[in-house]
Amino acid sequence: MSHSPSLPDRPRLNLDPELTGEERVAALAEHLEDVTAVHDELAARLDEARENREELAEEAEQLQEENEALKTSSLYVATIEELTDDGAIVRQHGNNQEVLTDVASALREEIDNGDRVAVNDSFSVQRTLSAETDARAQAMEVEERPTVTYADIGGIDDQVREVREAVEMPLIDPERFDTVGIEPPTGVLLHGPPGTGKTMLAKAVANETDATFIKMAGSELVRKFIGEGARLVRDLFELASEHEPAVIFIDEIDAVAAKRTDSKTSGDAEVQRTMMQLLSEMDGFEERGDVSIIAATNRYDMLDRAILRPGRFDRLIEVPKPDIEGREQIFAIHTRGMNLADDVDFEALAEMAEEFSGAEIESLTTEAGMFAIRDERTEVRMADFEEAFEKVTEDESPGTPIAFN
Ligand SMILES: Nc1ncnc2c1ncn2[C@@H]1O[C@H](COP(=O)(O)OP(=O)(O)OP(=O)(O)O)[C@@H](O)[C@H]1O
């Protein structure tokens, strides 16, 4: 920062005792003029300084924000291999690179060999990470026994039957497969547009077989738990075998099992490793007992065919958007608990909601209920559904599926 020029000298008044009265007045007047001039200049400088100060404060605030953003931008997960006098040797997850790096003295106290830490682009340790079990708990959603039943799923009866055959039957009646002389499927892959009931299907299977439902989202492995994908996949299968019988549900499997050519990200190698771990878990699956694996994707076209080989996800079930009868059933399911007026016509609703997925139909029914509440009615009428339909399709061209969630 440059220094401001020095302040003007303070005018001095030297009154010669010899001066006449008139001369004294003139000298004082002159002095007053000097003082006023200096005052004006100082006032101007003060204004300038104030302005400067405001500008600097603004700049400081901006820098602070940038600094925060830098601090919160992506960090990499690493493990402290060894604390030495020269700093810490950390090994970055994912690429196994070892680096010698600095640790701020404030953090040093908290860190021990073997701890997991977050490092920035230049490997400097930013903070310690919670224990491994936390990542595991965060990455996996465990439901002891989901409450969803097959009766809650509408319009995909064939898919329900296929899932039951592929998942339930090997558990309940394994001899049937032996007698016929075929291997039961290892994993089931549900594919189809978003919101069509894939997760519900997996939960209903868990409910029906009294199994624990363990869900992991492929996209989170890639975005949130960078560097830990492979380990978390291993943990996922371990957790399932601790909770037998269990249903493992891997949502958005395309995130970890996309065709190699498709991936442009730098996390490519890491994603590959996660997929390899998944494949090896599935290949070693036979000894695993009562654990079923179901995966789901909206991007079947993107999948690496390696995961579809026999002994892996060898049972493919397409879960499409419901047809008109399916939509009618789904409207009936989602209005079961609603106080409906007599004029509500499911057939007409199903016709109106062309191209809607199950999830979209669910949102539409909730929206219709909101219109009744706004109108201070306890009964939901056909007109509420019509208004709800207009609302949810407002910004969409006709026939385009609406993105909910
Ligand atoms: N076939 C259906 N019958 C009844 N409700 C459905 C159906 N499909 C979807 N829903 C409703 O939509 C919600 C979301 O569905 P679900 O999570 O099972 O979809 P998904 O196919 O797994 O979607 P995504 O691909 O977005 O994960 C469900 O909780 C349910 O209320």
Side-chain angles (χ1 to χ4, degrees):
M1 217 193 306
S2 64
H3 285 279
S4 351
S6 55
L7 295 174
D9 287 335
R10 199 177 169 150
R12 302 228 165 267
L13 178 64
N14 283 320
L15 283 184
D16 191 336
E18 311 265 296
L19 291 180
T20 64
E22 225 170 274
E23 284 167 334
R24 281 175 83 91
V25 171
L28 281 171
E30 200 179 312
H31 181 64
L32 178 63
E33 226 169 80
D34 290 347
V35 169
T36 310
V38 169
H39 169 267
D40 288 351
E41 188 178 347
L42 283 175
R45 297 268 287 274
L46 191 60
D47 279 350
E48 202 181 315
R50 279 211 184 101
E51 223 167 86
N52 244 334
R53 185 171 143 230
E54 263 164 42
E55 272 173 28
L56 282 174
E58 236 169 71
E59 202 178 319
E61 197 177 320
Q62 205 176 334
L63 283 173
Q64 179 89 15
E65 270 169 27
E66 276 172 29
N67 193 16
E68 287 301 317
L70 276 178
K71 272 202 243 161
T72 52
S73 64
S74 290
L75 297 173
Y76 301 96
V77 180
T79 300
I80 301 281
E81 295 281 280
E82 198 185 334
L83 283 166
T84 72
D85 290 339
D86 299 327
I89 299 173
V90 299
R91 183 178 47 76
Q92 198 186 343
H93 293 199
N95 62 8
N96 276 333
Q97 241 189 97
E98 285 192 332
V99 234
L100 178 66
T101 182
D102 271 342
V103 183
S105 50
L107 268 180
R108 180 112 194 182
E109 309 273 288
E110 294 175 28
I111 291 179
D112 257 328
N113 291 343
D115 278 0
R116 286 177 344 127
V117 292
V119 298
N120 63 11
D121 281 342
S122 45
F123 293 104
S124 123
V125 177
Q126 302 293 300
R127 57 188 158 92
T128 56
L129 292 178
S130 46
E132 306 220 342
T133 44
D134 281 358
R136 191 167 154 168
Q138 270 181 37
M140 293 169 215
E141 176 192 319
V142 180
E143 230 175 290
E144 279 314 327
R145 190 179 161 188
T147 50
V148 178
T149 68
Y150 296 122
D152 299 323
I153 308 177
I156 46 173
D157 297 346
D158 288 346
Q159 287 75 7
V160 169
R161 186 181 41 75
E162 281 188 66
V163 169
R164 299 188 72 165
E165 275 170 12
V167 188
E168 275 180 39
M169 217 186 281
L171 293 178
I172 298 166
D173 194 3
E175 290 79 31
R176 261 218 234 181
F177 288 85
D178 286 344
T179 324
V180 179
I182 55 164
E183 288 288 322
T186 309
V188 173
L189 178 75
L190 305 174
H191 63 101
T196 46
K198 299 183 288 299
T199 309
M200 284 184 101
L201 260 173
K203 284 192 176 175
V205 170
N207 171 311
E208 197 70 20
T209 54
D210 281 332
T212 305
F213 176 81
I214 307 175
K215 174 180 162 180
M216 184 178 258
S219 58
E220 292 206 337
L221 286 187
V222 178
R223 270 186 244 127
K224 201 159 149 198
F225 302 102
I226 305 158
E228 297 183 272
R231 189 178 57 82
L232 285 170
V233 166
R234 205 171 50 232
D235 284 357
L236 172 69
F237 282 80
E238 213 176 274
L239 191 73
S241 59
E242 285 164 17
H243 282 82
E244 265 181 51
V247 171
I248 290 180
F249 180 64
I250 306 175
D251 203 6
E252 300 170 272
I253 194 168
D254 44 281
V256 288
K259 277 180 208 150
R260 267 150 253 230
T261 47
D262 235 88
S263 186
K264 302 164 206 79
T265 57
S266 56
D268 204 7
E270 148 72 11
V271 173
Q272 279 301 308
R273 241 189 313 277
T274 306
M275 178 168 109
M276 289 306 168
Q277 186 65 42
L278 179 61
L279 296 184
S280 92
E281 293 291 343
M282 297 209 62
D283 292 346
F285 197 65
E286 267 151 44
E287 315 85 65
R288 222 167 265 277
D290 279 0
V291 177
S292 319
I293 320 172
I294 303 177
T297 180
N298 309 325
R299 299 297 317 271
Y300 178 69
D301 54 310
M302 267 179 58
L303 289 184
D304 189 320
R305 293 295 174 248
I307 72 154
L308 305 178
R309 284 198 204 124
R312 294 176 179 167
F313 290 100
D314 45 12
R315 185 71 185 204
L316 305 182
I317 300 175
E318 186 181 356
V319 186
K321 281 195 187 172
D323 60 12
I324 185 155
E325 277 158 33
R327 293 197 295 275
E328 220 181 302
Q329 282 177 28
I330 299 173
F331 268 112
I333 290 171
H334 284 290
T335 51
R336 271 193 305 223
M338 283 167 81
N339 187 10
L340 295 182
D342 289 340
D343 71 338
V344 175
D345 176 352
F346 290 147
E347 202 181 321
L349 286 175
E351 218 162 287
M352 179 170 79
E354 206 186 338
E355 282 297 310
F356 272 43
S357 69
E360 287 164 344
I361 291 176
E362 187 191 6
S363 300
L364 182 73
T365 56
T366 310
E367 200 60 57
M370 291 305 294
F371 276 107
I373 289 177
R374 229 166 279 158
D375 215 16
E376 298 188 356
R377 271 181 285 111
T378 51
E379 208 179 48
V380 188
R381 299 175 185 157
M382 191 64 177
D384 296 321
F385 284 94
E386 281 156 2
E387 272 194 81
F389 178 78
E390 298 218 334
K391 183 169 181 225
V392 299
T393 50
E394 212 159 56
D395 306 322
E396 308 288 329
S397 50
T400 323
I402 302 146
F404 284 86
N405 298 320

